[in-house]
Amino acid sequence: MQIQDLPYPDPGVPDARSGPRFLWWLGRNQLGGQFKALAWGLLHFVAVSGLPFCVGLAVQAVVDSSGTRLAQAGGLIGLCGVGIALGDTMLHRAAVTNWITAAARVQQLLARRTAELGSALTRRVAAGEVVAVSTGDVEKIGWFVEAVSRFAAAALTVVLVCVGLVVYQPALGVIVAVGVPVLALAVLPLLPRATRRADFQREKAGRATELASDTVAGLRVLRGIGGEELFLDRYRSASQEVRRAAVRSARMWSLISAIQVLLPGLLMIAVVWRGVGLARDGSITVGELVTVYSAVMLLTYPLRHFEEIAMAYSFSRPSARRAARVLSLRRAVDSGGTRTERTPGGDLYDPATGLLAPAGRFTAVVCGDPDAAGLLAERLGGHPAEEGTSVLLGGVALDELPLGTARTAVLVQDKDPVLLSGSLSELLDVPSSGKVSAAQALAAAQCGDVLDALTQGSLDAQDPMDAHITERGRSLSGGQRQRLALARSLITDPEVLVLDEPTSAVDSHTEARIAEGVRSLRAGRTTVVFTSSPLLLDHADRVLLVHEGDVVAVGVHRELVHSEPRYRAVVTRETEDEAATASSGGDAMGEAAPANAPEDEEAVLNGVLEDDAAPLGGVLEEIEETA
């Protein structure tokens, strides 16, 4: 596999049972690259290790005043130099290729799993952990995969050198053959502690990343309630913990490095002391002594790869464990069903809640719990967060369909859709039936003012479709982002379209026009909208009230608002006291309680935190304690 061949046509099915198994699977899937790096590594290391023998021959030739042997030694040194240069260049090339291709395979696997799970991924794994896996962890995994071949080449070279010294000069070769394994194994007792400290450091770093992600996600809410400093202090504390853990880990690795320097020095002293004595006795020549001394000195070069492989494994193991955890997640499917490739059509029915959306009708769902509404929307899309009874579309279980078929049949737009950067035409260039044009979708979503704003904000774009949209649509207001996302969903024209609070950031006049536009454009198609807006509910053919996980009322908006107190409480924000007053005739004017009118400031704060800042739980109590 070469870098230019990326991305992989098929990255394969990973062995995600554990971190080590995942690393082993990665290594097995690029054996060609590993053997190539091993071959070039052997050439490089053997050429480096051959220099001492060449130098020994040259020294002995000078001692014996032999010009012929000196020339031969010079030729061998030149040949070793060529081998060193060629081997090092190609080893680096092969190692980098192994690193990048391994990292690319992991990234493709993560992207595929993320696309398969959708928003359910962050419900099972913390967002900060997903970020850590897809960034720093990928590099560490690639580092270990590419370091394996270099370590294998270094280990084989050390064995060859030791055997060669024993054959070349047994008296000194035996000392080297016994001492080198001691050098290689001396750090083993320290590796478990170094690994634990590295794991602890990664754990602290992951926690800091999660905290930073949560803080950024809830920054608007934090500013509104004055909690910025509290969370900044939290992050400072977490950052200091990461620093202390990194220092403790570095101390252990520095000790390992010191041992790797000390022990070869002691071995060299022993070889020189013994060699000098043998040279005085005439048992060995000066050239042989120089050869053995130089070989021991250069052995420290391949021995450094023993330390590197230990570090690479220690740092990559927790990274591989996190990656394996994400890759082990699967769709919650009923394995007893029969899979089919046919895209079904018909009524959408959820046996778990009793929710029924008739085919070709505009159905609205009212749910007092926003989180429960989001989970139910995911279930209707065929990718629930937890295992359970499958949603049926035309009598076919969505969980039994291939993922692509299920998403073609049912499209779910969550309450916080993402706009990718690029031109508006690129944003709206999505897989579709071709029956709905971009102009029709933009008109139905009431995006006229959005197009004007994009044109005015782009100096070099006369056509709004060529206007540039910044990352996540940050240059647009919340309502403008919602309407563009709605237009994108309408263009796809799926069999079933599920919208979760598609107009929560839009003013009432625009919302009424959007309701009429969506109803008209989606005529004959099944549309399910999770909302508590009376303007949308009044345009629905059928309204369902979901309470505590079950459908408890079905009808139309004008009937339910008078006949169902629980429905009225969600839609009009009517409190229990107001309902009691209204039922006893205390409210002479018969006016409903104004929307979003909680009883006191604490209710406001609790409402904000509950609706907008789920990851910032507990901040209210800490702010009160601080005050």
Side-chain angles (χ1 to χ4, degrees), residues 365-367 501 530-537 570-573:
V365 181
V366 176
C367 186
E501 295 289 354
F530 286 82
T531 183
S532 59
S533 168
L535 293 171
L536 284 176
L537 295 170
V570 176
V571 174
T572 67
R573 310 297 197 272

Side-chain angles (χ1 to χ4, degrees), residues 145-278:
V145 172
E146 71 88 9
V148 169
S149 55
R150 288 190 291 111
F151 164 73
L156 287 175
T157 301
V158 169
V159 173
L160 290 175
V161 170
C162 290
V163 173
L165 288 177
V166 170
V167 174
Y168 178 73
Q169 179 47 251
L172 296 178
V174 171
I175 298 176
V176 177
V178 173
V180 167
V182 174
L183 299 182
L185 302 178
V187 297
L188 286 182
L190 300 178
L191 288 181
R193 182 178 296 181
T195 302
R196 286 195 299 270
R197 292 189 178 184
D199 291 349
F200 184 73
Q201 176 192 350
R202 295 296 303 166
E203 178 184 344
K204 290 296 183 181
R207 169 58 183 158
T209 303
E210 292 176 17
L211 185 59
S213 300
D214 291 346
T215 303
V216 172
L219 190 58
R220 179 177 62 85
V221 180
L222 288 173
R223 286 174 175 171
I225 62 179
E228 285 181 278
E229 286 301 323
L230 173 63
F231 269 76
L232 286 175
D233 289 340
R234 277 188 182 181
Y235 184 76
R236 291 190 188 100
S237 177
S239 179
Q240 290 302 312
E241 290 180 2
V242 174
R243 181 187 63 80
R244 287 191 290 269
V247 170
R248 293 184 71 248
S249 178
R251 287 174 180 169
M252 184 55 63
W253 287 112
S254 64
L255 176 60
I256 292 175
S257 298
I259 292 175
Q260 290 290 310
V261 173
L262 174 64
L263 294 184
L266 295 177
L267 176 61
M268 192 175 300
I269 292 173
V271 169
V272 171
W273 178 78
R274 177 60 176 163
V276 169
L278 293 175

Side-chain angles (χ1 to χ4, degrees), residues 374-558:
L375 291 173
L376 182 53
E378 290 179 4
R379 278 185 53 78
L380 296 181
H383 36 273
E386 299 177 355
E387 292 189 9
T389 306
S390 175
V391 172
L392 305 178
L393 178 59
V396 178
L398 287 181
D399 286 352
E400 298 176 359
L401 295 173
L403 182 62
T405 305
R407 287 184 172 170
T408 300
V410 183
L411 174 66
V412 179
Q413 176 182 303
D414 60 27
K415 66 183 63 178
D416 187 22
V418 176
L419 301 182
L420 301 178
S421 61
S423 66
L424 180 57
S425 60
E426 292 172 340
L427 175 71
L428 300 180
D429 184 16
V430 293
S432 64
S433 66
K435 298 179 180 179
V436 179
S437 66
Q440 290 175 313
L442 291 168
Q446 299 299 310
C447 294
D449 64 315
V450 183
L451 299 180
D452 294 338
L454 288 174
T455 304
Q456 294 173 3
S458 300
L459 300 178
D460 57 346
Q462 300 300 324
D463 187 349
M465 300 301 291
D466 297 330
H468 183 74
I469 298 176
T470 57
E471 181 185 3
R472 300 181 67 91
R474 298 186 189 279
S475 60
L476 303 173
S477 67
Q480 290 173 330
R481 288 195 298 270
Q482 274 192 336
R483 283 178 280 164
L484 284 180
L486 176 59
R488 181 178 58 186
S489 299
L490 293 174
I491 287 178
T492 61
D493 190 35
E495 183 69 25
V496 179
L497 177 60
V498 180
L499 304 172
D500 187 5
E501 295 289 354
T503 59
S504 59
V506 177
D507 64 82
S508 58
H509 297 289
T510 306
E511 188 176 29
R513 294 195 297 269
I514 290 175
E516 183 60 36
V518 172
R519 178 185 173 89
S520 175
L521 189 64
R522 293 285 300 171
R525 292 287 202 179
T526 307
T527 306
V528 181
V529 179
F530 286 82
T531 183
S532 59
S533 168
L535 293 171
L536 284 176
L537 295 170
D538 196 39
H539 284 79
D541 299 319
R542 176 185 175 91
V543 180
L544 293 80
L545 173 63
V546 176
H547 181 69
E548 295 181 353
D550 294 307
V551 175
V552 296
V554 181
V556 295
H557 170 64
R558 296 175 185 266

